[in-house]
């Protein structure tokens, strides 16, 4: 019952209601709190002054609106409804339970009367602190509001239930806490004493056991106060006004404003409203049960999120540590290369130092020897060795001049670490989606077929958070065979052309991203048209062909044969269409039949190996030529005016064929499609 406590507290003082009154908006206030938030309106804005001046609302409007005006939450003061002037704005404050409260413009005068009997300033206005509706009080003041006796009783029972726990009355030593009370025995029992002294059998089985708190309330509950009429204070409520939805007394029915209203018995309406409240509580109880289950789910989610967070953090730390280890290994490899280069440079320089030192020693020795030779005074002896010495000196000098005095190695390290790609990769290091996308949903209301084409539409589930990079649409072969991919891309709608007529296809869709592919959607069954509806195709026709009648009628003024094809091609099934000759003069040579897509367009139909046609045999103005293409039996049959021209015109017809005609010399024909196969042919085919 602790959750109910906020319902039992006044929105102004924040304490339990004391002498609560019911405002017309159905909210409650303590009577003393209601008096504290009264605001006096100017005399000119009172309803009496407005009625006297003939402006504002009428008495009927005033009563019909229950004297209520609406408070605008976007405003800081009062707003009137139906022409009432707004009350003076006053600063608002918050009550202990957080509801805005509008204090009086001036403190009420000191009085020794009770709040109900104390005089109320004239033209006073009260605003509900919960819904912010404003009401100008009449001469009765706060006495005009009914008292909420039910709320008083609930508060009384609630406060009593909060008292100390009741003890068992039959325990001999250390009484235990009572668990039930018998209303007939008027005794509180604990569970052991109830089983021992009040067994549920015999006459005691009919006794009513209630919780201790309820039993205590039934013991101590004071006699119920009888609610009196607000308009006739000495009269008790005896009936219920259906129109005003409030209890009334007999005087209200005879002389008050409820005299013409529909009324019902108070007891019957009491039971009816109790039943309605119980039914409403059943629905609310279901919602509360769902809310509790939802809270359990959310608490489990909190625990799961915490566990997943710890696991994910550990995984992230391990991944970063692995990157650091890899970087340290690469660092060691690069340092090894630097050390190798360092040793190589030192070796080259030291070798050059050693070589140069030996060479310098030899040169110095030669120089000292030559100086000593120069000191000799024997000309003949000097001349005997001077030529050789001169050659040795020049040779030694030449040896020093061939790059010997140039360092073979620089002091700089010709290595530069290119770390920009790695730094860029580190900056781009981020989380990627590790889940496959959710299964797409086919939107059945947008999927359809037309002739031998199928349009499919799909979408991601509404709560899906994993993005899809694309979709894969698959169809079977129309005979329940293997599925094949017909579309791969980012779009969520696709039209598949070139399907077989009168065939049933199964379609399914799946989504994919970098992580993988989703599950397949539910399979959608598509049925193509039983018969073909089509027209002539201007895009593939010869330029001399003239089209009309929504491309169903064609003609040609050229003396040469010109070919035009239908828009729809056939590769399976049995198909029938007709052409009527609208104009036939000047000895034309029309031809009717089928052709490949790459048939020649400037010769008579049937003159090459890519067309099969009928060119003569009763064709005249008004004639109807029927073309029957049976790709199941691989035959082509012609009819003129419903008469078959020979048994079978062509056999072994296999592949993709388009309806075709060739025209010349102003002949005009009209195409008729969507026709069923002739009955006699269908029966013959079933017999065969």
């Amino acid at each position: 019952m602790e959750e109910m406590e906020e319902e039992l507290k006044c929105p102004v003082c924040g304490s339990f209601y004391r002498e609560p009154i019911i405002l017309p908006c159905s909210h409650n206030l303590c009577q003393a709190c209601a008096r504290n938030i009264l605001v006096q309106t100017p005399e000119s804005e009172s309803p009496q002054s407005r009625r006297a001046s003939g402006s504002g609302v009428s008495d009927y409007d005033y009563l019909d609106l229950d004297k209520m005006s609406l408070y605008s939450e976007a405003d800081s003061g009062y707003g009137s409804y139906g022409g009432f002037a707004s009350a003076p704005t006053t600063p608002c404050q918050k009550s202990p339970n957080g509801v805005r409260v509008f204090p009086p413009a001036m403190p009420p005068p000191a009085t020794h009367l009770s709040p109900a009997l104390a005089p109320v300033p004239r033209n006073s206005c009260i605003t509900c602190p919960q819904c912010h509706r404003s009401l100008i009080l009449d001469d009765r003041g706060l006495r005009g509001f009914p008292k909420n006796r039910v709320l008083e009783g609930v508060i009384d029972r609630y406060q009593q239930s909060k008292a100390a726990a009741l003890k068992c009355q039959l325990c001999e030593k250390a009484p235990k806490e009572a668990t039930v009370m018998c209303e007939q025995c008027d005794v509180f029992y604990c569970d052991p004493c109830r089983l021992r002294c009040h067994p549920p059998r015999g006459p005691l089985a009919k006794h009513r056991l209630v919780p201790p708190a309820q039993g205590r309330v039934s013991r101590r509950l004071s006699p119920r106060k009888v609610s009196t009429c607000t308009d006739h204070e000495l009269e008790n409520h005896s009936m219920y006004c259906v129109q005003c939805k409030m209890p009334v007394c007999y005087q209200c029915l005879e002389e008050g404003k409820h005299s013409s209203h529909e009324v019902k018995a108070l007891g019957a309406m009491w039971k009816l409203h109790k039943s309605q409240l119980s039914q409403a509580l059943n629905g609310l109880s279901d919602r509360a049960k769902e809310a509790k289950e939802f809270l359990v789910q959310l608490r489990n989610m909190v625990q799961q999120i915490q566990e997943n967070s710890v696991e994910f953090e550990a995984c992230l730390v391990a991944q970063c540590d692995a990157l650091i280890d890899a970087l340290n290994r690469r660092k060691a490899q690069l340092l090894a290369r630097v050390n190798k280069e360092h040793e190589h440079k030192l070796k080259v320089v030291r070798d050059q130092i050693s070589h140069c030192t030996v060479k310098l020693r030899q040169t110095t020795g030669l120089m000292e020897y030559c100086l000593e030779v120069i000191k000799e005074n024997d000309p003949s002896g000097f001349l005997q060795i001077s030529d050789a010495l001169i050659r040795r000196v020049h040779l030694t000098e030449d040896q020093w001049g061939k790059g010997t005095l140039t360092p073979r190695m620089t002091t700089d390290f010709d290595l530069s670490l290119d770390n920009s790609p790695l730094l860029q990769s580190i900056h781009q290091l981020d989380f990627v989606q590790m889940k496959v996308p959710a299964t797409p949903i086919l939107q059945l209301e947008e999927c359809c077929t037309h002739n031998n084409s199928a349009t499919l539409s799909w979408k991601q589930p509404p709560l899906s958070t994993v993005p899809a990079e694309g979709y894969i649409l698959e169809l079977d072969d129309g005979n329940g065979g293997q599925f094949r991919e017909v579309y791969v891309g980012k779009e969520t709608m696709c039209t598949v052309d070139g399907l077989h007529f009168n065939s049933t296809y199964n379609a399914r869709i799946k989504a994919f991203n970098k992580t993988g592919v989703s599950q397949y959607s539910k399979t959608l069954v598509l049925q193509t048209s039983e018969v073909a509806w089509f027209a002539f195709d201007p895009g593939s026709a010869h330029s001399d062909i003239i089209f009309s009648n929504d491309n169903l009628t064609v003609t040609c003024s050229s003396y040469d044969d010109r070919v035009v094809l239908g828009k729809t091609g056939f590769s399976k099934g049995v198909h029938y269409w007709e052409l009527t000759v609208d104009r036939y003069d000047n000895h034309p040579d029309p031809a009717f039949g089928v052709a490949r897509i790459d048939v020649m367009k400037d010769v008579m139909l049937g003159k090459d190996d890519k067309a099969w046609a009928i060119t003569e045999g009763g064709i005249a103005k008004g004639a109807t030529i029927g073309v029957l293409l049976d790709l199941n039996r691989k035959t082509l049959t012609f009819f003129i005016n419903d008469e078959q021209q020979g048994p079978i015109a062509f056999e072994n017809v296999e592949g993709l064929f388009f309806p075709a005609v060739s025209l010349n010399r102003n002949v005009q024909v009209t195409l008729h499609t969507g026709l069923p196969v002739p009955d006699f042919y269908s029966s013959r085919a079933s017999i065969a």
Side-chain angles (χ1 to χ4, degrees):
M1 295 178 65
E2 293 181 358
E3 291 84 355
M4 182 180 65
E5 186 167 318
E6 289 300 322
E7 294 285 337
L8 309 180
K9 291 185 177 180
C10 175
V12 177
C13 63
S15 303
F16 289 108
Y17 286 104
R18 299 182 62 184
E19 298 184 352
I21 60 175
I22 306 174
L23 300 180
C25 58
S26 300
H27 292 125
N28 300 283
L29 285 177
C30 297
Q31 197 169 56
C33 295
R35 184 175 184 83
N36 289 337
I37 64 173
L38 289 177
V39 175
Q40 188 172 5
T41 61
E43 179 68 25
S44 61
E45 297 183 1
S46 67
Q48 294 84 355
S49 63
R50 286 188 172 268
R51 286 198 296 269
S53 62
S55 62
V57 295
S58 65
D59 290 344
Y60 173 79
D61 294 332
Y62 181 74
L63 293 175
D64 187 54
L65 293 173
D66 207 7
K67 311 173 188 177
M68 292 297 297
S69 59
L70 300 179
Y71 175 80
S72 171
E73 295 192 16
D75 194 5
S76 60
Y78 298 116
S80 297
Y81 184 89
F84 290 152
S86 61
T89 59
T90 57
C92 65
Q93 60 187 16
K94 284 192 175 181
S95 68
N97 61 355
V99 178
R100 289 194 300 176
V101 177
F102 296 84
M106 60 186 67
T111 176
H112 298 289
L113 299 176
S114 66
L117 300 177
V120 173
R122 189 176 182 183
N123 302 329
S124 295
C125 176
I126 188 172
T127 298
C128 175
Q130 291 181 284
C131 66
H132 311 303
R133 290 186 175 183
S134 299
L135 170 70
I136 298 177
L137 276 63
D138 56 17
D139 296 335
R140 294 176 299 171
L142 296 178
R143 295 194 306 275
F145 298 118
K147 295 179 174 58
N148 196 337
R149 303 296 185 189
V150 174
L151 181 57
E152 283 185 300
V154 173
I155 293 174
D156 187 21
R157 292 195 298 273
Y158 178 77
Q159 290 179 326
Q160 291 183 17
S161 67
K162 298 268 291 184
L166 294 172
K167 301 296 182 179
C168 176
Q169 294 177 293
L170 298 182
C171 290
E172 296 180 358
K173 296 180 180 180
K176 298 180 181 179
E177 184 177 345
T179 56
V180 295
M181 173 197 171
C182 177
E183 288 187 335
Q184 285 73 24
C185 302
D186 196 20
V187 176
F188 292 94
Y189 298 94
C190 63
D191 286 336
C193 294
R194 177 179 59 83
L195 295 175
R196 185 178 70 252
C197 305
H198 200 289
R201 58 181 180 270
L204 298 179
K206 297 182 179 180
H207 287 198
R208 183 168 181 261
L209 302 179
V210 297
Q214 182 177 343
R216 178 173 56 189
V217 170
S218 63
R219 273 184 170 186
R220 301 181 180 180
L221 192 62
S222 59
R224 185 177 63 181
K225 299 178 182 179
V226 179
S227 178
T228 58
C229 179
T230 56
D231 294 330
H232 310 91
E233 298 181 357
L234 299 180
E235 299 294 336
N236 297 332
H237 291 141
S238 59
M239 301 295 288
Y240 181 83
C241 178
V242 178
Q243 182 174 342
C244 299
K245 297 182 179 180
M246 60 182 297
V248 295
C249 67
Y250 80 95
Q251 287 192 10
C252 294
L253 302 179
E254 292 182 356
E255 56 190 37
K257 63 181 180 180
H258 305 279
S259 58
S260 60
H261 295 175
E262 179 186 0
V263 295
K264 290 187 178 181
L266 192 66
M269 293 303 297
W270 174 53
K271 293 180 179 179
L272 175 62
H273 281 211
K274 273 195 171 184
S275 174
Q276 292 176 350
L277 180 59
S278 298
Q279 293 177 359
L281 283 176
N282 289 334
L284 186 59
S285 176
D286 294 338
R287 301 289 84 78
K289 183 179 179 181
E290 293 176 1
K292 290 180 180 179
E293 294 175 353
F294 181 64
L295 285 174
V296 172
Q297 178 184 355
L298 291 179
R299 292 189 180 98
N300 293 336
M301 288 179 62
V302 170
Q303 180 66 25
Q304 189 65 36
I305 289 173
Q306 291 175 345
E307 295 176 358
N308 291 343
S309 175
V310 172
E311 181 181 354
F312 189 78
E313 288 178 3
C315 180
L316 177 62
V317 170
Q319 290 177 320
C320 291
D321 289 343
L323 292 176
I324 294 173
D325 292 341
L327 184 60
N328 286 331
R329 289 193 297 270
R330 188 57 180 167
K331 172 185 174 183
Q333 294 173 359
L334 294 175
L335 287 176
R337 287 183 58 185
V338 172
N339 291 333
K340 184 178 179 180
E341 182 70 14
H342 168 251
E343 295 296 333
H344 174 67
K345 285 180 176 291
L346 289 180
K347 183 178 180 302
V348 171
V349 173
R350 285 170 179 170
D351 290 345
Q352 191 173 11
I353 290 174
S354 176
H355 178 73
C356 188
T357 301
V358 173
K359 197 73 173 175
L360 180 59
R361 186 183 301 115
Q362 294 174 353
T363 302
T364 303
L366 178 61
M367 290 174 58
E368 291 178 354
Y369 173 69
C370 290
L371 289 175
E372 292 298 326
V373 170
I374 293 175
K375 293 179 181 180
E376 292 293 331
N377 295 323
D378 184 6
S380 60
F382 178 81
L383 292 175
Q384 287 178 347
I385 63 174
S386 60
D387 290 335
L389 289 175
I390 292 173
R391 286 195 300 270
R392 285 184 61 191
V393 169
H394 286 305
L395 180 61
T396 303
E397 183 181 1
D398 291 340
Q399 290 177 352
W400 283 107
K402 295 181 178 179
T404 308
L405 300 179
T406 301
R408 298 177 185 174
M409 185 62 65
T410 63
T411 58
D412 297 331
F413 283 79
D414 298 331
L415 298 174
S416 179
L417 182 62
D418 184 11
N419 61 350
S420 56
L422 180 58
L423 290 176
Q424 184 177 3
S425 299
I426 292 175
H427 291 311
Q428 294 177 350
L429 190 63
D430 201 352
F431 298 105
V432 296
Q433 187 56 249
M434 300 298 294
K435 295 182 180 180
V436 298
T439 302
I441 300 175
L442 285 167
Q443 301 190 85
L444 303 182
E445 65 278 5
E446 298 185 15
C447 298
C448 62
T449 59
H450 176 70
N451 268 350
N452 62 337
S453 299
T455 299
L456 295 102
S457 177
W458 57 89
K459 64 179 181 180
Q460 282 290 97
L463 299 180
S464 175
T465 58
V466 182
E469 296 181 2
Y471 303 92
I472 301 174
L473 175 63
E474 296 183 357
L475 265 69
D476 65 0
D477 59 358
N479 289 322
Q482 296 292 326
F483 280 88
R484 57 188 176 89
E485 294 183 1
V486 296
Y487 171 76
V488 178
K490 298 181 179 180
E491 300 297 330
T492 57
M493 179 175 287
C494 176
T495 298
V496 184
D497 298 319
L499 302 177
H500 299 307
F501 283 91
N502 195 23
S503 299
T504 301
Y505 288 86
N506 294 310
R508 63 187 185 184
I509 185 75
K510 61 182 178 180
F512 65 87
N513 60 12
K514 293 180 180 179
T515 305
V517 296
S518 69
Q519 297 291 327
Y520 283 106
S521 67
K522 293 182 179 180
T523 301
L524 177 64
V525 179
L526 301 168
Q527 177 67 43
T528 55
S529 299
E530 184 177 356
V531 295
W533 298 84
F534 59 92
F536 288 115
D537 183 14
S540 63
H542 194 280
S543 58
D544 291 339
I545 298 293
I546 302 173
F547 294 83
S548 60
N549 189 23
D550 293 331
N551 298 334
L552 292 174
T553 301
V554 291
T555 184
C556 177
S557 59
S558 173
Y559 272 73
D560 297 323
D561 295 290
R562 299 292 184 252
V563 175
V564 58
L565 304 180
K567 277 192 173 182
T568 302
F570 305 105
S571 60
K572 176 186 174 183
V574 182
H575 307 280
Y576 179 74
W577 63 93
E578 292 180 347
L579 301 108
T580 57
V581 181
D582 303 328
R583 184 169 59 242
Y584 190 88
D585 50 23
N586 201 17
H587 305 290
D589 296 315
F592 308 89
V594 297
R596 308 281 190 189
I597 188 64
D598 55 348
V599 66
M600 297 178 64
K601 304 299 192 306
D602 54 0
V603 297
M604 178 181 286
L605 196 67
K607 291 298 184 180
D608 59 2
D609 59 351
K610 297 181 180 180
W612 295 258
I614 181 174
T615 58
E616 56 185 20
I619 298 176
K621 181 179 180 180
T624 300
I625 297 89
V627 182
L628 178 61
L629 178 62
D630 187 348
L631 292 171
N632 296 335
R633 301 171 62 187
K634 303 177 183 179
T635 61
L636 180 63
T637 307
F638 296 102
F639 301 83
I640 297 181
N641 298 327
D642 296 332
E643 293 184 5
Q644 184 173 339
Q645 302 298 301
I648 293 177
F650 298 98
E651 295 181 338
N652 299 322
V653 180
E654 187 176 4
L656 179 63
F657 298 94
F658 291 82
V661 297
S662 63
L663 307 174
N664 65 356
R665 299 185 182 183
N666 211 32
V667 66
Q668 178 176 303
V669 298
T670 298
L671 176 65
H672 304 276
T673 61
L675 304 176
V677 177
D679 294 336
F680 71 89
Y681 186 84
S682 300
S683 59
R684 184 192 306 169
S686 60
I687 294 174

mmCIF file of all heavy atoms in Angstrom, residues 510-521:
data_model
loop_
_atom_site.group_PDB
_atom_site.id
_atom_site.type_symbol
_atom_site.label_atom_id
_atom_site.label_comp_id
_atom_site.label_asym_id
_atom_site.label_seq_id
_atom_site.Cartn_x
_atom_site.Cartn_y
_atom_site.Cartn_z
ATOM 1 N N LYS A 510 17.531 -11.329 -48.539
ATOM 2 C CA LYS A 510 18.423 -11.302 -47.389
ATOM 3 C C LYS A 510 19.298 -10.063 -47.488
ATOM 4 O O LYS A 510 19.521 -9.525 -48.579
ATOM 5 C CB LYS A 510 19.273 -12.567 -47.300
ATOM 6 C CG LYS A 510 20.193 -12.810 -48.481
ATOM 7 C CD LYS A 510 20.956 -14.117 -48.319
ATOM 8 C CE LYS A 510 21.857 -14.391 -49.543
ATOM 9 N NZ LYS A 510 22.599 -15.659 -49.405
ATOM 10 N N ALA A 511 19.794 -9.611 -46.333
ATOM 11 C CA ALA A 511 20.651 -8.423 -46.266
ATOM 12 C C ALA A 511 22.084 -8.853 -45.967
ATOM 13 O O ALA A 511 22.330 -9.948 -45.457
ATOM 14 C CB ALA A 511 20.149 -7.461 -45.194
ATOM 15 N N PHE A 512 23.021 -7.955 -46.280
ATOM 16 C CA PHE A 512 24.415 -8.264 -46.004
ATOM 17 C C PHE A 512 25.157 -6.994 -45.616
ATOM 18 O O PHE A 512 24.753 -5.876 -45.942
ATOM 19 C CB PHE A 512 25.094 -8.924 -47.218
ATOM 20 C CG PHE A 512 25.202 -8.028 -48.428
ATOM 21 C CD1 PHE A 512 26.286 -7.168 -48.598
ATOM 22 C CD2 PHE A 512 24.212 -8.031 -49.404
ATOM 23 C CE1 PHE A 512 26.388 -6.352 -49.710
ATOM 24 C CE2 PHE A 512 24.305 -7.211 -50.518
ATOM 25 C CZ PHE A 512 25.404 -6.379 -50.679
ATOM 26 N N ASN A 513 26.247 -7.167 -44.885
ATOM 27 C CA ASN A 513 27.218 -6.114 -44.603
ATOM 28 C C ASN A 513 28.598 -6.754 -44.537
ATOM 29 O O ASN A 513 28.773 -7.911 -44.944
ATOM 30 C CB ASN A 513 26.865 -5.355 -43.314
ATOM 31 C CG ASN A 513 26.819 -6.263 -42.092
ATOM 32 O OD1 ASN A 513 27.265 -7.412 -42.134
ATOM 33 N ND2 ASN A 513 26.282 -5.755 -40.997
ATOM 34 N N LYS A 514 29.584 -6.020 -44.023
ATOM 35 C CA LYS A 514 30.946 -6.534 -44.023
ATOM 36 C C LYS A 514 31.097 -7.773 -43.147
ATOM 37 O O LYS A 514 31.966 -8.607 -43.383
ATOM 38 C CB LYS A 514 31.906 -5.442 -43.536
ATOM 39 C CG LYS A 514 32.025 -4.263 -44.486
ATOM 40 C CD LYS A 514 32.985 -3.222 -43.937
ATOM 41 C CE LYS A 514 33.106 -2.031 -44.895
ATOM 42 N NZ LYS A 514 34.019 -0.987 -44.369
ATOM 43 N N THR A 515 30.224 -7.883 -42.141
ATOM 44 C CA THR A 515 30.333 -9.019 -41.233
ATOM 45 C C THR A 515 29.792 -10.297 -41.849
ATOM 46 O O THR A 515 30.344 -11.378 -41.648
ATOM 47 C CB THR A 515 29.591 -8.710 -39.923
ATOM 48 O OG1 THR A 515 30.095 -7.483 -39.383
ATOM 49 C CG2 THR A 515 29.777 -9.811 -38.911
ATOM 50 N N GLY A 516 28.726 -10.193 -42.619
ATOM 51 C CA GLY A 516 28.139 -11.388 -43.217
ATOM 52 C C GLY A 516 26.749 -11.102 -43.743
ATOM 53 O O GLY A 516 26.373 -9.947 -43.979
ATOM 54 N N VAL A 517 25.975 -12.162 -43.949
ATOM 55 C CA VAL A 517 24.624 -12.045 -44.498
ATOM 56 C C VAL A 517 23.617 -12.458 -43.437
ATOM 57 O O VAL A 517 23.917 -13.245 -42.535
ATOM 58 C CB VAL A 517 24.454 -12.915 -45.764
ATOM 59 C CG1 VAL A 517 25.356 -12.428 -46.870
ATOM 60 C CG2 VAL A 517 24.733 -14.382 -45.458
ATOM 61 N N SER A 518 22.416 -11.906 -43.566
ATOM 62 C CA SER A 518 21.349 -12.213 -42.616
ATOM 63 C C SER A 518 20.643 -13.500 -43.022
ATOM 64 O O SER A 518 20.956 -14.118 -44.050
ATOM 65 C CB SER A 518 20.344 -11.056 -42.590
ATOM 66 O OG SER A 518 19.623 -11.004 -43.818
ATOM 67 N N GLN A 519 19.678 -13.873 -42.215
ATOM 68 C CA GLN A 519 18.817 -14.987 -42.578
ATOM 69 C C GLN A 519 17.890 -14.562 -43.720
ATOM 70 O O GLN A 519 17.662 -13.376 -43.952
ATOM 71 C CB GLN A 519 17.979 -15.418 -41.370
ATOM 72 C CG GLN A 519 18.802 -15.932 -40.193
ATOM 73 C CD GLN A 519 19.468 -17.256 -40.490
ATOM 74 O OE1 GLN A 519 18.935 -18.082 -41.222
ATOM 75 N NE2 GLN A 519 20.650 -17.464 -39.925
ATOM 76 N N TYR A 520 17.356 -15.549 -44.429
ATOM 77 C CA TYR A 520 16.400 -15.239 -45.489
ATOM 78 C C TYR A 520 15.083 -14.780 -44.876
ATOM 79 O O TYR A 520 14.684 -15.211 -43.780
ATOM 80 C CB TYR A 520 16.143 -16.460 -46.359
ATOM 81 C CG TYR A 520 17.250 -16.758 -47.353
ATOM 82 C CD1 TYR A 520 18.115 -17.822 -47.152
ATOM 83 C CD2 TYR A 520 17.414 -15.966 -48.483
ATOM 84 C CE1 TYR A 520 19.131 -18.098 -48.064
ATOM 85 C CE2 TYR A 520 18.417 -16.226 -49.398
ATOM 86 C CZ TYR A 520 19.278 -17.294 -49.181
ATOM 87 O OH TYR A 520 20.274 -17.546 -50.085
ATOM 88 N N SER A 521 14.404 -13.905 -45.603
ATOM 89 C CA SER A 521 13.070 -13.490 -45.192
ATOM 90 C C SER A 521 12.080 -14.633 -45.445
ATOM 91 O O SER A 521 12.436 -15.675 -46.005
ATOM 92 C CB SER A 521 12.643 -12.252 -45.974
ATOM 93 O OG SER A 521 12.479 -12.575 -47.351
#
